[in-house]
Amino acid sequence: MTAMKTEQPSTHAAAVDQRMGALRAAFSTFIANKLAVGSLVILILIILFCFIGPLVYHTNQVSAQLLLENQAPSSTHILGTSPTGRDELGRLMLGGQSTIELGLAVGVLASAFGLVWGTISGFVGGLVDSVMMRIVDALLSIPFLFFVILLASIVRPTLWLIILVISGVSWLSTARLVRGETLSLKTRDYVVAASGFGAPRWRLIARHIMPNVLGVLVVNGTLKVADAILTFAALGYLGLSIPPPATNWGEILAGGVNNIFDGYWWQLWPAAVLIVLTVLAVNVLGDALRDVVEARLAQR
């Protein structure tokens, strides 16, 4: 009994040390990537700018002030004013909130649903796989822009509705990617061995398939965030975005393009730079997280 009591704490301590070692190795892998660290800093600064900035820099983004329209940058309005007289710096903060929220929400929803759908389809196989993949193919055949225009003509666009619409399209490619990885993983020796020992399907999926798909899913999820931000910007450019006074970077960019020949550069370039920086930072972080996940899985 005494030996058993002393053996349990030592085993638990070894497991804790192993987990801490894996976390330290993952952290070291990420820190070694200077470009990823720089991208993380840029992304944090953009998030602070959008969500903390309005608490410091107070502007009126509700009512239009036509007497202040298209004013150049000054000490009163650091980045000038919009065609409706709203402070442009305040609009960038407000537009960034909806843009970042949409990108993160679409990335999580599309990745989660695509992971479940693709894993089940690839692991079960047979008729189930055929039916599930034909559903994906049918949905992929629907033109996204046509669907959005049709939906905007029926209901009034809201942020959550746009999130669901973009997510409803984004998960399809994720499901196909995860299915391909699952088809490869389920023939590996350790999965076949676990199945031979009588492990149930749900355990094989949860313990052996999903963790090994995680590296690909993380990278794909970050790409979905970037794609969602660009799609949201395109919808705003086409006038199919959330109604005012709410805004997003795409809508701000559209207003700047309309006035580009009038010399109102402050209505175009700041929004364009923020979109490019955010998308690049997210993509670089995705590549770095893939390296971290793969390094951690290699130690399992």
Side-chain angles (χ1 to χ4, degrees), residues 3-250:
M4 291 180 63
K5 290 182 179 179
T6 56
E7 184 178 354
Q8 284 183 345
S10 62
T11 304
H12 178 70
V16 172
D17 290 340
Q18 185 178 5
R19 286 195 294 268
M20 292 301 296
L23 289 175
R24 283 194 293 267
F27 182 74
S28 300
T29 303
F30 182 82
I31 292 297
N33 191 335
K34 303 301 182 184
L35 189 59
V37 174
S39 298
L40 180 61
V41 171
I42 290 174
L43 198 58
I44 291 174
L45 290 177
I46 291 175
I47 292 174
L48 291 176
F49 167 77
C50 295
F51 291 92
I52 306 299
L55 302 178
V56 179
Y57 187 77
H58 302 282
T59 59
N60 178 13
Q61 297 297 324
V62 177
S63 58
Q65 304 177 60
L66 298 180
L67 294 178
L68 302 176
E69 63 180 4
N70 299 325
Q71 289 191 356
S74 62
S75 58
T76 306
H77 303 285
I78 298 176
L79 279 181
T81 61
S82 69
T84 57
R86 295 185 176 95
D87 185 271
E88 197 68 20
L89 183 59
R91 291 189 77 216
L92 288 172
M93 296 176 183
L94 182 63
Q97 292 178 11
S98 59
T99 302
I100 293 173
E101 288 170 357
L102 177 134
L104 294 176
V106 169
V108 172
L109 290 175
S111 298
F113 197 75
L115 173 64
V116 174
W117 189 280
T119 303
I120 294 174
S121 175
F123 191 83
V124 175
L127 180 62
V128 174
D129 179 36
S130 298
V131 172
M132 294 179 74
M133 284 300 102
R134 295 301 76 74
I135 293 174
V136 170
D137 293 339
L139 293 175
L140 281 172
S141 66
I142 301 175
F144 173 70
L145 188 58
F146 169 78
F147 178 68
V148 172
I149 294 175
L150 178 63
L151 191 65
S153 64
I154 298 174
V155 297
R156 186 180 185 184
T158 63
L159 181 60
W160 275 108
L161 180 61
I162 296 175
I163 288 174
L164 292 176
V165 170
I166 298 178
S167 300
V169 176
S170 298
W171 72 269
L172 300 171
S173 58
T174 301
R176 298 182 71 174
L177 178 65
V178 172
R179 173 185 175 269
E181 289 292 317
T182 303
L183 289 173
S184 174
L185 289 170
K186 75 175 185 179
T187 60
R188 302 288 175 88
D189 292 338
Y190 56 87
V191 178
V192 175
S195 178
F197 280 110
R201 283 185 173 182
W202 66 265
R203 180 170 177 80
L204 292 175
I205 292 175
R207 183 69 179 86
H208 298 291
I209 302 297
M210 284 188 174
N212 288 288
V213 175
L214 191 59
V216 175
L217 188 71
V218 167
V219 178
N220 185 257
T222 55
L223 292 176
K224 293 303 176 187
V225 173
D227 289 344
I229 291 175
L230 292 175
T231 302
F232 193 36
L235 293 177
Y237 184 82
L238 295 174
L240 301 174
S241 186
I242 48 182
T247 186
N248 64 82
W249 288 339

